Amino acid sequence: MSEIYERLMRCYDCVRKKTDFTPKIALVLGSGLGEFADGIDIRVTVDYNEIEDFPVSTVLGHKGRFVFGYIGSVPVVIMQGRVHYYEGYSMEDVVLPIRLMKMLGAEVLLLTNAAGGVNYSFECGDFMLINDQICMAPSPLIGENPDELGVRFPDMSEIYSKRLRNIVKSSARSLDIPLREGVYIQLTGPNYESPSEVRMVRILGADAVGMSTACEAIAARHMGMEVVGISCISNLACGVSSKPLSHAEVQETADKAAPKFTALITSSILNIAGIL
Ligand code: HPA
């Protein structure tokens, strides 16, 4: 067996010793959005540091645990806090939790993040449905390719499922929550971009910029998960606004957006589960 797969199996066994909960949908909560998990019908939580060989995040505001529970009658697993490439982890580490959630039973992955608005028409606090991505960080699939995970050269023509995007759009419409749509670009970070870098990513076709998500979406598609993603535009990217950026601002905007975000995620998950 390959090293990556053996490690995943060790993580899997650790989680399975604590719970036999089988999630249908996996959810990743970005900066400032983590509170959402505290409000669901929680059945069991597993701290990342309880799992042998599991990468643990160092970023402030990221809790670092799996929450297993129900949204309505939908069994979900929520990653409250993720690990980032800029923390010094390998890409294999960064996507390990995504692969693990698939192994635990999740067929759908809902990714969320806080991102900088690159598109001039975006405003702070907007939500953007991700319709495609540009991954400027190294691919998480570089290296050995265990057959158990997926094919060597996976197709990426529809990373973000069209049918799930349509469900999120109609959920937003019925809640009267305005929803933007666009392309997410992942840079490595941890520094925010310079004005010239923001101009560059706009020319490349990006509408929002962040430091996560794209690599996770690739790993999930590799394993055949159906993926959907929503960015909370926590700030206007450098050069779009003349204000210097800070993590505190990112956190604060995401906190403010939390009630609407909770409503949108909850309704989207209920509607998505309806077609699975
Ligand atoms: N740039 C990159 N990542 C981010 C930003 C940004 O402006 N805001 C939140 N995450």
Side-chain angles (χ1 to χ4, degrees):
M1 214 191 291
S2 76
E3 248 173 68
I4 295 179
Y5 198 67
E6 268 179 31
R7 182 180 175 200
L8 271 164
M9 286 307 296
R10 278 199 302 280
C11 292
Y12 177 86
D13 289 341
C14 261
V15 175
R16 279 289 170 247
K17 277 195 193 118
K18 295 189 176 295
T19 177
D20 60 0
F21 194 96
T22 301
K24 248 199 176 121
I25 298 180
L27 176 55
V28 181
L29 298 173
S31 285
L33 305 170
E35 303 276 294
F36 175 80
D38 300 324
I40 74 159
D41 173 12
I42 298 177
R43 292 307 162 95
V44 58
T45 63
V46 180
D47 286 351
Y48 297 157
N49 59 22
E50 291 178 85
I51 307 171
E52 190 191 328
D53 245 358
F54 196 89
V56 177
S57 176
T58 58
V59 185
L60 233 71
H62 286 255
K63 253 189 189 161
R65 59 177 192 169
F66 284 119
V67 174
F68 295 89
Y70 290 90
I71 296 174
S73 61
V74 187
V76 300
V77 55
I78 303 181
M79 271 184 83
Q80 207 170 19
R82 49 154 65 97
V83 290
H84 299 84
Y85 187 60
Y86 61 71
E87 293 176 75
Y89 292 105
S90 67
M91 270 299 178
E92 182 194 322
D93 280 339
V94 173
V95 301
L96 180 140
I98 304 293
R99 289 172 164 162
L100 183 56
M101 292 191 292
K102 166 75 163 88
M103 287 168 72
L104 291 167
E107 292 298 331
V108 164
L109 175 64
L110 199 171
L111 291 164
T112 70
N113 58 52
V118 171
N119 185 316
Y120 283 119
S121 74
F122 287 4
E123 285 167 31
C124 245
D126 278 351
F127 296 123
M128 183 191 89
L129 179 64
I130 305 175
N131 59 20
D132 199 8
Q133 69 178 34
I134 301 170
C135 188
M136 297 275 270
S139 169
L141 308 185
I142 291 172
E144 64 171 338
N145 186 70
D147 289 338
E148 293 91 343
L149 297 188
V151 297
R152 171 79 285 188
F153 302 108
D155 171 66
M156 292 287 144
S157 54
E158 191 185 309
I159 298 179
Y160 297 91
S161 157
K162 187 152 194 201
R163 66 174 192 149
L164 298 192
R165 276 186 275 144
N166 283 337
I167 290 178
V168 175
K169 278 195 240 182
S170 64
S171 306
R173 245 192 326 268
S174 29
L175 291 166
D176 218 8
I177 294 175
L179 187 63
R180 314 283 195 153
E181 213 181 322
V183 174
Y184 176 91
I185 190 165
Q186 177 180 358
L187 305 185
T188 65
N191 53 289
Y192 291 117
E193 303 69 37
S194 70
S196 299
E197 285 165 341
V198 171
R199 205 174 322 120
M200 173 185 78
V201 302
R202 187 179 301 112
I203 291 166
L204 292 179
D207 297 290
V209 58
M211 307 174 192
S212 65
T213 303
C215 58
E216 297 161 326
I218 291 172
R221 291 298 302 136
H222 180 229
M223 288 185 86
M225 294 178 95
E226 205 172 349
V227 179
V228 64
I230 305 169
S231 293
C232 171
I233 305 299
S234 56
N235 57 280
L236 299 181
C238 185
V240 179
S241 133
S242 53
K243 243 182 23 186
L245 297 184
S246 72
H247 185 60
E249 180 197 353
V250 167
Q251 195 95 36
E252 198 184 307
T253 311
D255 285 348
K256 261 195 236 150
K260 265 195 200 164
F261 179 76
T262 299
L264 178 59
I265 296 294
T266 304
S267 158
S268 298
I269 285 180
L270 295 175
N271 291 331
I272 287 170
I275 63 155
L276 295 182

